[in-house]
Structures are given as structure tokens and as C-alpha cells.
Amino acid sequence: MIRALLALLLNLYAREPNVSVLDFTIRITAAVRNVAGEYGMPARPTDAFVTAHAANESGWGRAGLSQPPYNNLFGMKAGSSWTGRTVDLRTTDYRDD
């Protein structure tokens, strides 16, 4: 389910990356509800959690990593075993030690 959701969100967002906060929320929420329904998951609160996570990680879709050609709304990072394509970008991460 997660892979299908991520693929749908990436494809949906890649078509028009420069959208308003409201449009971002509407598009992501609708996509999450569709995929959740296909996999028999409750649309709510799944839609709220995934939309909030995408908004937080991507700055409402405005972060460099969320823009084409990367379209990474969730700030996913490659581990040492990853053999696919990667990109090096400066990010801002916070730690509360």
C-alpha cells in the first residue's frame, strides 16, 4: 500500500509542482483517500497523517528535493545498501538532544 501511495503522490505532484498550500492539501488528501480505499484502509485518519507528513517534509511541496526531477515529498534517504539513483542536496534537519 505504501509503495502504491508514494508512486501515486509522486506522479500526481510531478505534473504541477508549484501549487498553493490549499491545492497541495486538496491534491495529496484526495490521492491518499483513493489509495487507502483501494487497500481497504480507513481514509481517515490516514489522509491527515500522510498529508501532514508530506507537507512537513517538503515545505508544502516547495523544498528542492520535492521539485522535479526528484519529486520526493517525504525526504526519503538512501541507505548504504541502496543501488539506485541518488542525489546530494543540502537539507535542514533538527535534532533535540
Side-chain angles (χ1 to χ4, degrees), residues 1-10 32 35-36 39 41 46 50 74 76:
M1 186 277 196
I2 297 298
R3 287 179 189 215
L5 175 60
L6 292 176
L8 177 65
L9 292 177
L10 295 177
V32 172
V35 173
Y39 286 86
M41 295 180 66
T46 304
V50 174
F74 297 96
M76 291 182 278

Side-chain angles (χ1 to χ4, degrees), residues 12-66:
L12 173 78
Y13 191 70
R15 283 182 257 160
E16 194 176 337
N18 297 315
V19 298
S20 70
V21 168
L22 179 60
D23 286 339
F24 178 90
T25 303
I26 290 169
R27 289 177 180 196
I28 299 299
T29 300
V32 172
R33 287 179 182 167
N34 287 338
V35 173
E38 289 177 20
Y39 286 86
M41 295 180 66
R44 294 191 174 121
T46 304
D47 59 350
F49 291 129
V50 174
T51 300
H53 186 76
N56 181 53
E57 290 288 344
S58 70
W60 299 100
R62 294 185 178 115
L65 193 58
S66 68

